[in-house]
Amino acid sequence: MTIQSLDPRITRAGIPSEDSRPLEPKEDLDQFETWEVFHQQKRGDFSEHVGSLHAPNAELALVMAKEQYARRFKCVGIWVVRTADILTLNTEDEDIFATNAEKKYRDAGGYRVGNRVSAFKQQQAQAKSEGAA
Amino acid sequence: MYGNLSIVDTPAGQQAADDPELLAAFEARIDRGEKIEPHDWMPAEYRRQLIRMIEQHAHSEIIGALPEGTWITRAPGFKRKMALMAKVQDEVGHAQLLYSAAETLGKPREAMIDDLLSGKSKYSNVFNYPALTWADTAVIAWLIDAGAIINQHTNAKGSYGPYCRALARICIEESFHLKYGYDNVVTLATGTPTQRAMLQEALNRWWGPIMHFHGPPDKVSQHTEKLVRWKVKMATNDAMRQEFLDTYVPKIWELGLTVPDPNLRKNEETGEWEFSDPDWDEFKRVINGDGPCNAERLAVRRMAEEQGRWVRQALRKPNHAYVAPLS
Ligand SMILES: [Fe+2]
Ligand SMILES: [Fe+2]
């Protein structure tokens, strides 16, 4: 007995309806390498990370990336890179960024000169009017 | 597409105790509305439940492509054939995005596919029913996808970063599925008497599975308080079902279609929809393998797996090592 499906293609495939064969065990790592995908939505944009995929080599990774991450909407470029080749900071080390907010001397906002200029101008004007008197 | 999520807590006694300090930091992060990322410390139970949930969701997408895929060769007209192919490809793409998200938690994709084929891991029950006519595909694309969208929008507000990112991409594509399905339904509903009858019959067939879609009522589902606190479970089954009814029943009625449930009505006092209990015994029976299409669905996946094996083996390189996706 084979599977009789509403889909004629499935019926024609002649799949046994009672398949008691055990699944053939997969070899260890019977799975392609993992790739990370970046896309650029329009010229001038940064290329942004959009997700990952499995592919056996770089060329197929690009083909898969186009199908998986750029089959609709605007896209002008794709990069793929082996996940294994990406070096990341340990998340436990996230605290090395903790003091960023305190480094006011690195921000434009850390410098306030307007008040000092106004005070200076006021002082100058005062000195001038006192000199005239 | 995904529904009938059935998260069950492991009895407290069987879980190794989590480091209280790490647990407190983890929970504080979630309370602040921050996402959890793959390499963060997380309770074993959080990881286990997320793998289970995302994996089931992925399986549902890949199996969900089958009932509609059946109609690609017989879609009425070139434009609808193109659109249906696009939708089915999207569903398979959703599976890939979700498998990747689950892989970041430590379970390789092939292990998940093995568990699908062996029956150890479940998928959404609705896909064990056949799409008998073209109108069935219209009802699936409109109403099953509508149910899935409610579920996916809800889960997209959860705490696990990779799952939320995958869902954000998925939801954008689902809005096309919904519109495409509605378009097909409206074409049939405004068509000839034969087309209208075909649509009404499809709706009658699918109403039970649709009411099953968001899972058993909360009064019988398991204790999930911790999963709610960890933002794994984001809404109750009943709340999602109510949202579905509130949005779609009026749209069904305005097309002059009837819903095969004489008790379906909105209680204007409570604002809640009232309906006959769907057959939860059937739901259980089908989930446990005894549905009209369970055997075919798994057999087709198994065929794909076995016939593709030589390709995978030919392309494999002996020095390949498995690496989980980054995020
Ligand atoms: Fe989907
Ligand atoms: Fe969909």
Side-chain angles (χ1 to χ4, degrees):
Chain A
M1 275 287 283
T2 57
I3 286 185
Q4 300 301 302
S5 171
L6 284 168
D7 188 336
R9 297 167 302 172
I10 302 299
T11 306
R12 281 198 300 273
I15 310 170
S17 48
E18 294 285 333
D19 195 349
S20 52
R21 289 173 303 135
L23 286 166
E24 202 177 305
K26 283 202 179 107
E27 285 172 64
D28 242 9
L29 309 171
D30 181 1
Q31 167 149 247
F32 300 140
E33 283 180 292
T34 313
W35 302 76
E36 300 298 326
V37 182
F38 299 75
H39 80 180
Q40 188 184 31
Q41 284 188 295
K42 62 173 198 291
R43 285 171 179 274
D45 282 0
F46 284 107
S47 291
E48 275 179 27
H49 182 246
V50 281
S52 357
L53 51 80
H54 292 289
N57 57 49
E59 290 72 28
L60 275 174
L62 269 179
V63 172
M64 296 287 288
K66 192 243 160 206
E67 278 309 304
Q68 177 71 346
Y69 294 104
R71 63 177 180 269
R72 56 161 64 78
F73 304 132
K74 275 192 80 164
C75 183
V76 295
I78 297 183
W79 301 345
V80 292
V81 56
R82 269 192 189 82
T83 306
D85 289 342
I86 295 183
L87 206 63
T88 63
L89 205 68
N90 286 337
T91 25
E92 306 92 77
D93 295 335
E94 208 181 316
D95 59 359
I96 66 170
F97 305 116
T99 56
N100 278 10
E102 296 156 22
K103 295 181 199 163
K104 288 280 182 275
Y105 59 89
R106 289 184 183 272
D107 297 346
Y111 298 88
R112 303 198 176 276
V113 289
N115 291 345
R116 283 154 54 212
V117 172
S118 310
F120 173 74
K121 278 160 67 182
Q122 220 169 12
Q123 194 189 15
Q124 290 286 303
Q126 206 173 348
K128 205 170 161 192
S129 65
E130 276 167 14
Chain B
M1 299 199 263
Y2 180 58
N4 27 289
L5 174 63
S6 51
I7 292 179
V8 184
D9 274 13
T10 304
Q14 291 172 21
Q15 285 181 35
D18 292 309
D19 178 326
E21 216 172 286
L22 291 171
L23 181 63
F26 166 87
E27 292 190 337
R29 190 186 287 284
I30 291 177
D31 288 344
R32 288 195 301 272
E34 288 177 27
K35 303 289 182 190
I36 303 299
E37 292 293 347
H39 300 286
D40 288 338
W41 181 90
M42 60 187 85
E45 184 60 8
Y46 177 83
R47 184 185 299 276
R48 198 179 75 86
Q49 294 289 0
L50 270 170
I51 290 176
R52 176 191 152 92
M53 177 171 156
I54 303 171
E55 175 181 358
Q56 284 185 20
H57 189 170
H59 295 332
S60 304
E61 300 282 350
I62 212 163
I63 296 289
L66 296 175
E68 288 176 281
T70 298
W71 282 89
I72 289 175
T73 54
R74 292 161 291 170
F78 188 63
K79 198 182 154 196
R80 292 193 191 92
K81 191 194 290 279
M82 295 283 282
L84 180 55
M85 278 167 54
K87 179 181 190 293
V88 168
Q89 187 189 20
D90 283 352
E91 303 300 4
V92 177
H94 296 172
Q96 295 206 45
L97 293 173
L98 293 161
Y99 283 130
S100 279
E103 281 184 86
T104 63
L105 291 158
K107 185 167 181 181
R109 187 172 75 182
E110 296 308 313
M112 291 186 260
I113 291 178
D114 284 349
D115 285 350
L116 168 66
L117 292 177
S118 72
K120 189 175 156 204
S121 177
K122 301 293 179 205
Y123 54 88
S124 191
N125 212 29
V126 285
F127 304 121
N128 288 317
Y129 292 86
L132 291 181
T133 68
W134 173 252
D136 292 63
T137 70
V139 170
I140 295 172
W142 184 33
L143 294 178
I144 299 293
D145 280 62
I149 289 172
I150 289 172
N151 183 63
Q152 291 172 155
H153 270 290
T154 307
N155 284 344
K157 297 181 207 108
S159 62
Y160 190 56
Y163 190 35
C164 299
R165 288 191 285 274
L167 287 171
R169 294 190 77 82
I170 288 170
C171 284
I172 293 169
E173 297 182 340
E174 292 294 357
S175 59
F176 146 63
H177 301 175
L178 182 79
K179 245 348 210 330
Y180 155 83
Y182 191 42
D183 186 273
N184 279 332
V185 165
V186 170
T187 302
L188 296 171
T190 58
T192 64
T194 315
Q195 287 173 324
R196 281 187 63 85
M198 179 169 73
L199 178 62
Q200 182 64 60
E201 280 163 26
L203 181 61
N204 295 350
R205 273 193 289 280
W206 282 90
W207 191 252
I210 286 168
M211 292 300 284
H212 287 152
F213 187 80
H214 289 108
D218 302 314
K219 58 177 192 279
V220 301
S221 78
Q222 306 278 333
H223 170 74
T224 55
E225 180 270 329
K226 191 163 65 183
L227 297 170
V228 171
R229 184 155 38 95
W230 288 346
K231 296 189 186 166
V232 172
K233 185 145 179 79
M234 297 299 292
T236 66
N237 297 350
D238 286 337
M240 287 192 278
R241 194 163 17 246
Q242 284 292 332
E243 187 184 339
F244 172 83
L245 294 170
D246 210 39
T247 315
Y248 293 97
V249 171
K251 289 185 197 288
I252 294 169
W253 282 344
E254 84 184 356
L255 293 173
L257 297 165
T258 53
V259 173
D261 177 1
N263 298 319
L264 181 70
R265 60 179 275 273
K266 187 169 181 171
N267 182 330
E268 292 301 342
E269 272 162 43
T270 60
E272 297 273 290
W273 285 81
E274 293 167 359
F275 46 84
S276 320
D277 248 354
D279 185 344
W280 291 113
D281 291 334
E282 175 186 328
F283 175 79
K284 260 189 228 137
R285 248 189 352 262
V286 175
I287 245 186
N288 288 320
D290 192 19
C293 298
N294 300 53
E296 175 182 336
R297 300 289 182 245
L298 289 182
V300 168
R301 282 309 317 155
R302 181 172 176 162
M303 177 184 70
E305 170 84 12
E306 290 183 342
Q307 295 189 357
R309 177 172 285 129
W310 71 272
V311 180
R312 295 198 310 277
Q313 285 177 348
L315 287 169
R316 261 188 65 205
K317 298 195 188 73
N319 58 349
H320 276 184
Y322 174 71
V323 178
L326 201 57
S327 74

